[in-house]
Amino acid sequence: MTKLPNIELSYHEWTVADYHKLAELGILSEKRVELLSGEIINMSPVGKLHAAHVKHLAKLFWKIVGEKMIISVQDPIVVDDSSEPEPDVAILNWDERSYADRLPEAKDVVLLVEVADTTLEKDQKLKLPLYAQAGIQEYWIINLVDDTLEQYTHPKGAFYGVRQIYKKEDTLQHDLLGELRLDRILI
């Protein structure tokens, strides 16, 4: 792809409504994309370790809260008028119809997880501020590069007030999920 010269240009900022219209028209049907801050961003191919972590987390979360919450896997969540990311795993508040009438929004998210290998920088620098600004109370990055879990809580503006890093030998004490040994999460 050719890069544009470093000059100031005006870009069209897409809204969630625009994005859905493009999908309805079939313009986005062959692409793996997500809407972030008004831009339609290509999603990276999913590798086997990434896919394994996503499946593993979904199964683990289902065992713990599956009857009381909804476990969402790589589904869209509307975080504001110009962003509709597709996080790897999310624990959502219960909805009798599994959000058939609308897409889940930030207010519905209990815990949001991104599994990051090639997407680590995007998950830390682009998605983290989006999630914090939307008021998502807890965000995890399963950092496959460093084999760690990054836990972000207490959103304040575009940042999270608390950041914890867990390694495989650590244990995370969680209000909803209980005591979790990280060697059960970082496979």
Side-chain angles (χ1 to χ4, degrees):
M1 172 166 73
T2 305
K3 287 284 233 180
L4 294 172
N6 193 11
I7 59 174
E8 193 169 322
L9 299 171
S10 175
Y11 291 90
H12 176 76
E13 186 172 306
W14 299 97
T15 66
V16 169
D18 295 334
Y19 184 65
H20 287 201
K21 188 67 171 170
L22 291 172
E24 287 170 22
L25 294 171
I27 294 170
L28 301 176
S29 63
E30 299 297 319
K31 299 172 178 39
R32 287 196 69 239
V33 294
E34 59 189 343
L35 181 67
L36 302 176
S37 299
E39 295 188 33
I40 299 172
I41 308 291
N42 288 323
M43 294 175 68
S44 299
V46 176
K48 61 184 173 193
L49 187 58
H50 182 283
H53 274 84
V54 170
K55 287 189 278 288
H56 179 71
L57 282 170
K59 181 179 176 185
L60 177 66
F61 291 166
W62 173 253
K63 282 182 180 178
I64 298 170
V65 298
E67 297 295 319
K68 301 178 284 189
M69 305 258 168
I70 292 178
I71 310 304
S72 174
V73 177
Q74 297 175 332
D75 292 328
I77 294 176
V78 177
V79 296
D80 61 29
D81 288 340
S82 63
S83 296
E84 188 180 294
E86 296 185 16
D88 289 312
V89 183
I91 298 177
L92 305 174
N93 288 316
W94 180 256
D95 182 88
E96 192 63 40
R97 293 186 29 109
S98 298
Y99 297 94
D101 301 329
R102 65 178 177 86
L103 287 175
E105 300 170 10
K107 66 181 172 141
D108 302 309
V109 176
V110 175
L111 170 64
L112 192 144
V113 182
E114 296 284 4
V115 177
D117 42 15
T118 60
T119 63
L120 182 59
E121 187 173 29
K122 179 171 80 169
D123 294 335
Q124 290 172 329
K125 295 180 180 175
L126 183 58
K127 289 188 174 183
L128 184 142
L130 280 175
Y131 296 152
Q133 283 177 319
I136 292 173
Q137 295 299 303
E138 186 167 2
Y139 173 45
W140 290 3
I141 298 175
I142 304 297
N143 180 336
L144 299 180
V145 175
D146 299 321
D147 206 24
T148 58
L149 182 150
E150 300 175 21
Q151 178 192 40
Y152 298 89
T153 57
H154 301 88
K156 295 177 183 168
F159 302 96
Y160 281 92
V162 177
R163 175 182 181 233
Q164 297 276 14
I165 306 293
Y166 296 92
K167 297 180 181 178
K168 246 186 184 165
E169 61 272 9
D170 295 333
T171 300
L172 180 138
Q173 194 63 42
H174 197 272
D175 290 341
L176 176 65
L177 302 171
E179 184 175 286
L180 293 172
R181 289 187 5 233
L182 270 287
D183 60 359
R184 288 187 62 205
I185 295 172
L186 301 168
I187 57 175

